[in-house]
Amino acid sequence: MALLTPFSKVPELNTATVLLVENEEELQSKLANALVQYKKDFNVNVRLARKLPLPVENKETRPRIDLIVFVVNLLSERSLQSVESSLAHLHSDCFLGKVCFLVTDARCGSHTQERLVSVRKLAASHQSPVLCAEHRTVDGVNAAAVRLLNILKVSAGMSPIATTALYLSSLTRCSVTSDLEED
Amino acid sequence: MTPAPSKQREMDQEAQSSQSSEAAAKAVLLEECEEQFGLLQKLQNEIILTDTEANDDQSNEAVNRLIAVTSELEQWQEMEPKLLTTSPEVLLAVGKEELQRLNNQLKMVLSCSQAKLDAQKKILKREQTWQAEKKEALNAVCEKITRLQLENEKSEHSVLQDMKRKINNLKDYHSSLMEMLSDMLAEHFPLPDPQGNGTKKKRAAAYDAEMNLISLSEIIERLTNKTLETPHDPYVITDDTFWPPYTEMLLRNGIATRHPEDCNKIRLENFFGI
C-alpha cells in the first residue's frame, strides 16, 4: 500500500508545498488562490486532492509535501468519513507536525457541534491542530490562508531555528476538554 | 528521521538569507549552500534506505512521537550555535532584518497579552460580584434556617405556656375594659335621683313607690348576658325596673332594638357588622 511519507524527497529551494485534501472541493480552490496570492517571502506550491491515496501516476513529479491540510465541512457527514478513510493512507511519521485539520461551518446548527467534537477527538488522537475557518467571505478565506501559511512556514522548516514542526504541533495540538458549565 | 529536517531547515534559512547579501558575500554563501545541499542529499539517501528497509510498522503514534521528541532534544543539546558566515555585511543585514521582525512580533505579543489581561480582569470582577451575591443569599438562607429550627424546637409545653399567657393578657384587657365601662356608665349615666325631682306636681312619689330602678350598667349587663347565654332568644323583657329614658336612649342610638312583634322586649344589636 503506497503511503504518503514525509521525508522521501529532497525539498526544493525556498519553496513549501501544501496539500489540501477536501471531499467537497468547495474551499480548496479559494484557499489555494488566497495562499498563492498572499504576499510572502517564499514560494508556495498548492496541490489539491479529494482524498488519499494520491494517484500513483504523479508520484515521481510530485514534490515533497510539507503540510497536509484536511478540510472538513461540518455540514456533511461524508466529509468527515472521507477524511477518516484518507488518514489510513498516511505514514504515521506524517503526524509529527505535518498534518493539520481545517473545519468549516462550525457555527451552523447542532449536528455540526457533534461533528466538531468528533473532529477534535480525531485531531487530539493524532496530536494535530484544528483550525476553524469561515469559507463564505473573502476575509474568512484570507484569514484561513494566513494561518495556514504560518503553520506551513514552520513545517517546511523556514522558521528560526528553534521552531520545528514537531514543536509547533505539540504547542498547537488539539486538546479535547470537557464542557464547562456557564453560570 | 530527525537529523535531516534540522539540516534542511538550516539550509533553507541560509537559502533565504542569501537573497539579501552582497555579491562578494554571496559567493561565500553560495559555497556554503552547496556544501549543505550535498549533506542534505546524503542524509536523504540514508533516509530512503532506512525507509525501504524498515517498512512502516504502524507502531503506536505516541511511541513514535516520544522517539522523535527525544531525538530532537538530543540534537538541540548537541548543536552549537555557529555563525552563518563571518562576513560582516551579511551579518549586519541579516541581524537588522531579524531584529525588526522580532520587534514587530513582540509588539503583537504585548498587545495581545494586554488584551488578555484586561479580559481576565473583567472576568475576575464579574466572578467576584457573583460570589458576593451568592454569599449574601447564603447568609439569608442560613438565618432563615436557624429561625425555623428555633420555632420547630418549641415543645408542646412552651406552646401551652404561650397560650396561657395570651389568655391571661386577654382576660386582663377584658377586665380593664369592663372596669372602664362601668366607671364611665356610673359617672355619666347615674340612676335618677329619687329626691331630685321632688315636686308635688310631678308626683315623683308615684315613681319612687315602684323603685328598684336598675342602673344602665345593669341593663347593659342583662342584655349582654342574655345574648351570650341564649343566643336563640336574646330578648329581655323591659319591665318597670328599666328607667324608660335609658331604654329610649339605647333604642335610639342603635345599641338595642325592639322585638318586632312584642314592644316590651328588647335585645342587643349586632355589633360585628360595624
Side-chain angles (χ1 to χ4, degrees):
Chain A
M1 198 167 52
L3 299 172
L4 195 60
T5 50
F7 295 120
S8 48
K9 294 208 179 122
V10 173
E12 293 161 17
L13 288 181
N14 210 29
T15 310
T17 310
V18 60
L19 173 68
L20 300 176
V21 178
E22 187 187 359
N23 196 21
E24 282 76 30
E25 294 174 345
E26 269 178 37
L27 179 55
Q28 266 181 346
S29 34
K30 289 191 260 182
L31 199 54
N33 288 335
L35 279 170
V36 166
Q37 283 162 10
Y38 192 76
K39 185 171 170 306
K40 53 202 176 303
D41 310 336
F42 55 98
N43 298 331
V44 169
N45 249 337
V46 181
R47 301 183 80 86
L48 309 175
R50 284 199 67 195
K51 59 177 175 51
L52 297 177
L54 299 175
V56 180
E57 306 84 49
N58 290 345
K59 194 165 175 192
E60 299 308 314
T61 55
R62 195 183 302 138
R64 181 180 90 149
I65 295 183
D66 294 312
L67 180 65
I68 302 169
V69 181
F70 289 103
V71 181
V72 180
N73 189 346
L74 289 180
L75 285 176
S76 87
E77 187 68 44
R78 276 177 306 131
S79 197
L80 186 55
Q81 285 168 353
S82 94
V83 162
E84 280 170 6
S85 57
S86 304
L87 280 177
H89 295 283
L90 270 187
H91 194 276
S92 56
D93 283 340
C94 282
F95 291 111
L96 300 173
K98 293 202 183 296
V99 167
C100 169
F101 291 89
L102 185 73
V103 298
T104 60
D105 291 332
R107 284 188 285 188
C108 324
S110 60
H111 288 300
T112 55
Q113 293 302 318
E114 300 157 4
R115 284 180 202 138
L116 180 61
V117 169
S118 45
V119 166
R120 292 186 70 169
K121 282 196 184 143
L122 185 65
S125 66
H126 292 301
Q127 323 240 328
S128 310
V130 173
L131 300 180
C132 292
E134 204 261 284
H135 68 283
R136 293 182 205 194
T137 64
V138 173
D139 282 338
V141 171
N142 282 343
V146 169
R147 291 175 77 185
L148 275 182
L149 275 175
N150 282 334
I151 302 183
L152 178 62
K153 237 179 139 183
V154 171
S155 54
M158 296 191 188
S159 280
I161 297 199
T163 321
T164 56
L166 185 57
Y167 185 55
L168 183 67
S169 78
S170 307
L171 282 180
T172 56
R173 67 183 164 173
C174 187
S175 58
V176 184
T177 56
S178 57
D179 287 335
L180 299 172
E181 287 193 17
E182 300 257 343
D183 253 339
Chain B
M1 288 291 167
T2 39
S6 62
K7 295 291 183 205
Q8 288 166 3
R9 278 169 208 122
E10 253 180 50
M11 194 225 73
D12 283 351
Q13 202 174 6
E14 285 165 353
Q16 205 174 350
S17 57
S18 71
Q19 293 171 12
S20 57
S21 67
E22 303 200 11
K26 229 183 183 178
V28 173
L29 281 175
L30 276 175
E31 235 180 76
E32 292 199 35
C33 287
E34 296 279 336
E35 211 181 291
Q36 293 290 340
F37 203 72
L39 268 176
L40 180 69
Q41 288 283 43
K42 230 189 344 169
L43 285 167
Q44 188 68 49
N45 293 338
E46 277 182 42
I47 289 175
I48 294 178
L49 220 58
T50 46
D51 250 352
T52 50
E53 278 175 11
N55 245 340
D56 176 45
D57 47 356
Q58 295 284 5
S59 58
N60 196 1
E61 261 184 46
V63 172
N64 264 357
R65 209 177 179 88
L66 180 67
I67 295 173
V69 170
T70 42
S71 40
E72 202 176 294
L73 177 67
E74 283 169 22
Q75 276 288 298
W76 291 135
Q77 282 176 338
E78 288 177 6
M79 194 176 88
E80 293 160 5
K82 73 180 199 337
L83 287 177
L84 279 180
T85 161
T86 48
S87 150
E89 300 112 3
V90 174
L91 287 176
L92 182 64
V94 172
K96 232 197 289 190
E97 211 181 291
E98 286 290 331
L99 281 176
Q100 276 175 344
R101 205 182 325 166
L102 196 62
N103 194 18
N104 288 341
Q105 285 175 349
L106 284 175
K107 277 187 198 163
M108 269 201 294
V109 167
L110 177 68
S111 61
C112 191
S113 52
Q114 291 273 35
K116 266 198 181 167
L117 186 67
D118 292 337
Q120 294 286 53
K121 279 186 183 164
K122 273 193 201 151
I123 290 177
L124 178 68
K125 224 182 269 189
R126 207 175 32 167
E127 295 285 320
Q128 277 177 339
T129 47
W130 180 85
Q131 188 196 27
E133 278 174 28
K134 296 295 175 190
K135 262 194 185 159
E136 271 184 35
L138 179 69
N139 284 343
V141 167
C142 283
E143 275 175 36
K144 179 143 190 170
I145 287 177
T146 48
R147 228 177 334 120
L148 283 174
Q149 275 177 348
L150 271 178
E151 277 181 19
N152 281 346
E153 274 167 12
K154 286 186 188 168
S155 54
E156 276 183 21
H157 183 61
S158 57
V159 168
L160 209 58
Q161 294 277 37
D162 283 346
M163 276 297 150
K164 279 189 185 166
R165 203 167 19 92
K166 283 182 188 168
I167 288 174
N168 284 338
N169 283 346
L170 276 177
K171 276 189 187 164
D172 293 340
Y173 186 53
H174 179 70
S175 54
S176 69
L177 280 178
M178 285 291 130
E179 259 187 57
M180 276 202 289
L181 180 65
S182 61
D183 286 345
M184 188 215 43
L185 288 176
E187 193 180 319
H188 299 285
F189 300 97
L191 276 176
D193 197 356
Q195 295 94 11
N197 294 336
T199 60
K200 291 172 196 150
K201 288 179 187 172
K202 287 241 178 180
R203 304 280 292 155
Y207 249 138
D208 303 348
E210 312 176 33
M211 250 333 70
N212 274 0
L213 277 184
I214 54 179
S215 63
L216 187 58
S217 54
E218 190 56 49
I219 298 176
I220 291 178
E221 200 180 312
R222 277 202 205 166
L223 279 171
T224 48
N225 285 344
K226 201 68 169 45
T227 315
L228 290 176
E229 283 159 17
T230 59
H232 55 277
D233 181 26
Y235 290 97
V236 171
I237 299 179
T238 52
D239 47 21
D240 295 334
T241 57
F242 288 31
W243 195 39
Y246 276 163
T247 52
E248 273 314 300
M249 186 198 72
L250 288 178
L251 286 167
R252 279 198 204 154
N253 286 317
I255 298 174
T257 48
R258 285 188 208 278
H259 190 275
E261 284 144 20
D262 188 0
C263 63
N264 285 332
K265 290 190 187 169
I266 57 174
R267 68 173 169 91
L268 204 58
E269 183 57 75
N270 297 335
F271 279 96
F272 32 84
I274 302 171

